[in-house]
Structure formats: structure tokens, C-alpha cells
């Protein structure tokens, strides 16, 4: 039986296992909640895929809903809490989720999403914490109805299903890959496999990023290894330092934007907090600027590991701080089962220090898989197990990978993937817009931000840029919308109607 929390409650009865801004839970509390969530999930009719969705901001309940359902042989679907009801409904239907967990910030959109999903034939129950609303079963009531005994260990562990937007504007679901999910044929094997988690050797883990991303979600899995977690509702630079100082946290997962904002704090603020307890800070989501990474190493010490990869495949490259100091700007060397290929436009392999398109070969042959879309799976792999993350770069003589550009349209802003097609499809519906293209341009904190370049139907009567941007924000999650718009005469479409976005981006990056 998965009695790790009960054992920890006996060994460390006064230790806080999970802490968020509103509550503190000891191991005995965690044991009871996880048992009830797991047994409720096991008893529920979750369909053939046994999926449940978590559409909530960071909180203790968010973590325990994910972990408890995992122990109950369910595949949890983290839903970006910025999504509109319509966007969330698409994920509910596509994933065939039968339970939907919501928090106070998402309850209205969650109820609306469930209503839309039901209209399309879905069967779904909404469970919420911190709220009282029609159509929502209270979390406390749902827990109270559950069995508090330890759930069985002979059930099948099921990987998370995560959604990442596609170039067509429709999100695509991908299961957490074997490189990030311990697997196993039974829960007993899965829990044993979790021992390999590199964060498990350290003390309290700090969660600062949104828990619909794989990195922050790692914190809830660490509970199984007896690692307490401190959850921030949202990232705040000074509150992050305060949490490290007060709770002596030892590990975290961050993105370069977090580093930029931490470094931007006044020196007198930074000096108020002792960060010497930190032993490992993994960063992912985007390539970190050299000056930012160097400044963080000088401040916190050589505790950083850059994990470069994607949700679909996990970490493909990794580099420690000492390695990075010898190869500044690199995202690291490939980690098993991956190896790197640099190809020219004709698919020929290029020698060291020659820029080209970066591809990775998965020795297992898996590559990129989208469970509900075999066509997208086929398109993502140029050969069995050979895929690209859409980057341009080179590999030096030591095997270290350097990213220099991107040939896919994707924009990474603050570690969040944004696909321009979604905003383009909305903006072109504006009555004043004839054609539009969205590109990534430099941003001092976020790395890059989305910018729209639009051709007007009537250039003599231009609309207010703010009105066009508001039009987009009314119809799409705000983080997917461009922050600025520029009206232009031409987008450079070729005879096939295609746009060279690398050429459109170039002037903005040259100015930087």
C-alpha cells in the first residue's frame, strides 16, 4: 500500500509537508487527503482513458488532486488556468476527462467549459475548492465521501496528458514522456521508479511556476520521496526570496524570466534574504541570456542546471553551471536516450560549429507522440524517433549544443509557448484587417513577446491599435495575444502564399 505519507507522519509528525499562501498541511493531513482522492478516483467511472482535468491556479489542493488521482490510476490533464471557457472545453472533450477540478479563480470558466463539453456529448463532474457555486461539488464534501484507507498498489500508473498549442491553432495532447514519467506496470513499480528523481536528494522544494507546466508539477511527485513543498500562488520576485529565506528551501524549477525579475530587484532587497539554502535550481522553458545566467551563478552559486527540451519528449540536453561557465550560452549536451543532429535544408548532416536545423534522435524510437492525432505524430518525426523542436543552432567540438534561432513559428515568452497562428486567426476576423502575421520580438524580461504586423483594408482610415488588440483579447486568452501591433504595407508572401517569418523578425532582433 502507498503508505509513504503515513510513515512520514509517524517519523516527522510536526513537519509541514505542503504549504501554500493560505494553508499548511502536515504529513498526516496529506496522507488522509491522498487516500480519499485516490479511492474516489478508483471508484469513479472515468472512461477508457481514465482522465481527469485540473483547471486551477497554484494551491495545495492543485498538487494533491494531481498526486491523489495518479495514485488512483487516473491520468490527470493540467489545464492552463489562463484559458477561456471555450478553450478549456476543447481540452475536456479531446481528452475525454470525466472529472474537472477548479479553484476560486477558475470556477466560472470551469462551469462554462463543462457546460460546453456536455453539449458535445461529454460526461463530466465539476469539483471545486474555496468556492460555492451551482453545478460545483465542494472539494471538502467530495473528500468526506471517500474511503480514507490506503489504496491498493496493484493498479496501473497513468501518465499526465498535457496540451501544447499547435501551428493550426488547435491544442494537441501529448502524454508525459518516459523520460519524465517513472512508468511501471503497477503503482508499486511506479513509486519505486520515482527514486530516480534528481530533486529527491534535497530538502524542501519551492514551486514558483504555474502547475500546468511539467517542471512545477514535479513538486507534487517529490512528496512521494518525503520532500516537503512550498507553493507560491504566483511568481513574485521578492516573495520568492522570502520563501527561500523563511522555509530554507533547497530546490526549485524556474525559467529565465524569473531570473531577470529576481536580478532586477534593488540590491537592498536582495541583501535582506539568505538564499544559501538553495542547492539545485533547474531552469527550462527558454534559452537563458548569457549575462543573466552568469549573474545568477555569481549570486546563488553554481547550482543551476539547464534542462532543454519539450513537453512531448522531456529533457533532450542538459548542462551544469561548471560546464556552462566553460561553454557560456550552451544548452548542454544530449542526455540518453537522445543524440543530436545538425542538418542543412536538404537533410544533410553538418560538421561541428556549422549552423543548421537541430534534430534529435531518440534511441528508443519513440520520438514525438500525440495520442489523439496520428497525422500530427507522423508530421513531427522526419524518421522513426527523429524529431525537431524547431530550433536553429550548432554543436561545438565538445558536443555542446548552442541555439541561435528558431525556424518554427513558435514564440517562447517567459517560458510559455505561444503559437502565432491562434492570434492570427482571430485578428484576421477584425473588419479593418486584410492580412496579418504575428512574430516574436525581443523583450527584456520575457525573452520575447508576440507582435502583430497587419495590412489594413483601408490604410487611409486606420483603427486604433489598442482597439485591435482589445478585439483579440476579447476572443482569446490574453497570454496568446500580441502585446503590440504595427500596420504595414506588405508581409512578403510568396507566390504560394507563404510568409518568411525569419525575415520579418530580423529587423527587430538586429535593433536589440
Amino acid at each position: 500500500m502507498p503508505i509513504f505519507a503515513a510513515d512520514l507522519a509517524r517519523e516527522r509528525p510536526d513537519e509541514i509537508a505542503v504549504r501554500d499562501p493560505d494553508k499548511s498541511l502536515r504529513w498526516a493531513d496529506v496522507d488522509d487527503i491522498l487516500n480519499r482522492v485516490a479511492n474516489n478516483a478508483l471508484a469513479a467511472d472515468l472512461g477508457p482513458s481514465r482522465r481527469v482535468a485540473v483547471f486551477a491556479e497554484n494551491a495545495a489542493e492543485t498538487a494533491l488532486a494531481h498526486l491523489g488521482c495518479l495514485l488512483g490510476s487516473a491520468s490527470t490533464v493540467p489545464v492552463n488556468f489562463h484559458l477561456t471557457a471555450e478553450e478549456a472545453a476543447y481540452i475536456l472533450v479531446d481528452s475525454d476527462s470525466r472529472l474537472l477540478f477548479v479553484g476560486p479563480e477558475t470556477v466560472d470558466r470551469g462551469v462554462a467549459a463543462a457546460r460546453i463539453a456536455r453539449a458535445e456529448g461529454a460526461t463530466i463532474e465539476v469539483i471545486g475548492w474555496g468556492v460555492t457555486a451551482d453545478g460545483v461539488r465542494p472539494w471538502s464534501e467530495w473528500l468526506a465521501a471517500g474511503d480514507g484507507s490506503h489504496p491498493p498498489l496493484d493498479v496501473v500508473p497513468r501518465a499526465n496528458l498535457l496540451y501544447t498549442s499547435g501551428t493550426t491553432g488547435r491544442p494537441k495532447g501529448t502524454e508525459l514522456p518516459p523520460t519524465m514519467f517513472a512508468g511501471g506496470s503497477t503503482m508499486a513499480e511506479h513509486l519505486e521508479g520515482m527514486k530516480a528523481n534528481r530533486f529527491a536528494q534535497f530538502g524542501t522544494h519551492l514551486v514558483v511556476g504555474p502547475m500546468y507546466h511539467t517542471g512545477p508539477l514535479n513538486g507534487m511527485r517529490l512528496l512521494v520521496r518525503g520532500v516537503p513543498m512550498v507553493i507560491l500562488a504566483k511568481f513574485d520576485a521578492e516573495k520568492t526570496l522570502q520563501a527561500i529565506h523563511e522555509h530554507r528551501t533547497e530546490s526549485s524549477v524556474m525559467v529565465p524570466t524569473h531570473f531577470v525579475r529576481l536580478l532586477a530587484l534593488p540590491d537592498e532587497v536582495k541583501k535582506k534574504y539568505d538564499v544559501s539554502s538553495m542547492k539545485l535550481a533547474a531552469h527550462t522553458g527558454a534559452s537563458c541570456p548569457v549575462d543573466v545566467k552568469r549573474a545568477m551563478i555569481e549570486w546563488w552559486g553554481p547550482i543551476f542546471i539547464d534542462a532543454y527540451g519539450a513537453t512531448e519528449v522531456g529533457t533532450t540536453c542538459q548542462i551544469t553551471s561548471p560546464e556552462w561557465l566553460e561553454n557560456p550560452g550552451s544548452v548542454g549536451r544530449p542526455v540518453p536516450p537522445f543524440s543530436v543532429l545538425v542538418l542543412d535544408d536538404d537533410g544533410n548532416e553538418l560538421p561541428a560549429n556549422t549552423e543548421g536545423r537541430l534534430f534529435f534522435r531518440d534511441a528508443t524510437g519513440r520520438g514525438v507522440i500525440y495520442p489523439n492525432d496520428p497525422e500530427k505524430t507522423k508530421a513531427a518525426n522526419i524518421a522513426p524517433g527523429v524529431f525537431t523542436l524547431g530550433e536553429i543552432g550548432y554543436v561545438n567540438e565538445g558536443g555542446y549544443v548552442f541555439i541561435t534561432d528558431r525556424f518554427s513559428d513558435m514564440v517562447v515568452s517567459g517560458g510559455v509557448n505561444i503559437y502565432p497562428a491562434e492570434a492570427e486567426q482571430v485578428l484576421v476576423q477584425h473588419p479593418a484587417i486584410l492580412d496579418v502575421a504575428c512574430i516574436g520580438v525581443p523583450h527584456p524580461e520575457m525573452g520575447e513577446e508576440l507582435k502583430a504586423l497587419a495590412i489594413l483594408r483601408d490604410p487611409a482610415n486606420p483603427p486604433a491599435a489598442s482597439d485591435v488588440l482589445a478585439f483579440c483579447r476579447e476572443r482569446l486568452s490574453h497570454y496568446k495575444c500580441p502585446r503590440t501591433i504595427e500596420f504595414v504595407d506588405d508581409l512578403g508572401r510568396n507566390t504560394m502564399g507563404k510568409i518568411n517569418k525569419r525575415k520579418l523578425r530580423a529587423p527587430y532582433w538586429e535593433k536589440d
Side-chain angles (χ1 to χ4, degrees), residues 370-385:
Y370 300 112
N372 295 342
D373 201 325
E375 288 302 313
K376 284 181 180 176
T377 298
K378 183 178 178 180
N381 301 275
I382 62 169

Side-chain angles (χ1 to χ4, degrees), residues 114-462:
R115 184 171 60 249
I116 295 168
R118 291 187 192 110
E120 297 185 31
T123 301
I124 192 160
E125 180 182 10
V126 183
I127 298 163
W129 47 79
V131 297
T132 301
D134 291 340
V136 179
R137 187 175 184 185
W139 165 259
S140 57
E141 176 189 301
W142 185 73
L143 287 180
D147 181 355
S149 63
H150 293 112
L153 274 177
D154 57 356
V155 298
V156 177
R158 300 176 189 273
N160 301 92
L161 185 71
L162 299 108
Y163 278 78
T164 177
S165 296
T167 54
T168 61
R170 278 296 195 181
K172 48 186 185 282
T174 181
E175 288 186 350
L176 199 66
T179 54
M180 301 182 74
F181 188 72
S185 59
T186 66
M187 190 59 62
E189 292 180 7
H190 182 74
L191 295 176
E192 184 66 22
M194 283 187 177
K195 290 181 178 179
N197 193 314
R198 68 182 173 215
F199 289 91
Q201 62 185 297
F202 302 110
T204 303
H205 184 78
L206 175 63
V207 175
V208 300
M211 297 183 74
Y212 54 78
H213 283 314
T214 55
L217 263 181
N218 187 55
M220 65 88 180
R221 290 188 285 271
L222 288 171
L223 288 174
V224 173
R225 308 309 315 150
V227 178
M229 64 190 300
V230 174
I231 303 170
L232 296 189
K234 293 180 179 178
F235 176 78
D236 176 276
E238 184 171 358
K239 287 181 180 178
T240 296
L241 296 183
Q242 184 178 357
I244 294 170
H245 177 91
E246 290 184 0
H247 306 301
R248 310 304 297 157
T249 61
E250 296 188 8
S251 68
S252 189
V253 177
M254 300 184 180
V255 298
T257 299
H258 296 151
F259 299 157
V260 171
R261 293 180 177 175
L262 287 164
L263 290 165
L265 288 170
D267 288 342
E268 59 268 24
V269 173
K270 287 185 275 191
K271 289 176 181 176
K272 285 169 54 180
Y273 303 104
D274 178 8
V275 296
S276 62
S277 63
M278 290 294 294
K279 294 180 172 62
L280 174 63
H283 64 96
T284 184
S287 182
C288 188
V290 171
D291 58 338
V292 171
K293 179 76 166 281
R294 197 181 301 278
M296 287 301 298
I297 293 174
E298 291 174 355
W299 181 12
W300 288 17
I303 67 166
F304 298 92
I305 290 182
D306 187 340
Y308 169 76
T311 299
E312 292 90 335
V313 292
T315 298
T316 58
C317 295
Q318 185 173 291
I319 190 168
T320 64
S321 292
E323 289 177 293
W324 186 90
L325 290 170
E326 294 181 0
N327 299 271
S330 173
V331 296
R333 289 191 288 190
V335 296
F338 303 109
S339 57
V340 65
L341 300 169
V342 182
L343 307 179
D344 63 20
D345 290 343
D346 297 320
N348 301 307
E349 191 165 355
L350 296 170
N353 296 308
T354 305
E355 187 180 80
R357 297 188 177 206
L358 289 175
F359 287 82
F360 293 92
R361 177 179 284 118
D362 183 346
T364 69
R366 179 185 185 274
V368 173
I369 296 176
Y370 300 112
N372 295 342
D373 201 325
E375 288 302 313
K376 284 181 180 176
T377 298
K378 183 178 178 180
N381 301 275
I382 62 169
V386 180
F387 60 91
T388 181
L389 303 180
E391 312 273 22
I392 292 172
Y394 65 92
V395 181
N396 70 9
E397 297 90 341
Y400 288 91
V401 176
F402 291 78
I403 307 298
T404 58
D405 201 354
R406 183 180 300 114
F407 65 82
S408 74
D409 288 350
M410 185 179 72
V411 173
V412 181
S413 184
V416 177
N417 294 348
I418 302 172
Y419 289 83
E422 293 187 90
E424 290 167 352
Q425 290 171 8
V426 171
L427 288 169
V428 79
Q429 298 174 39
H430 190 285
I433 302 299
L434 178 65
D435 197 5
V436 66
C438 292
I439 58 172
V441 298
H443 187 277
E445 285 190 0
M446 309 300 283
E448 57 183 333
E449 67 178 16
L450 198 64
K451 181 182 186 68
L453 303 176
I455 298 175
L456 295 173
R457 292 187 181 276
D458 182 4
N461 294 290

Side-chain angles (χ1 to χ4, degrees), residues 36-46 50 68-69 72-74 99 142:
R36 293 175 185 278
V37 174
N39 286 318
N40 278 342
L42 285 167
D45 178 7
L46 299 180
R50 291 194 55 77
C69 286
S73 190
L99 292 179
W142 185 73

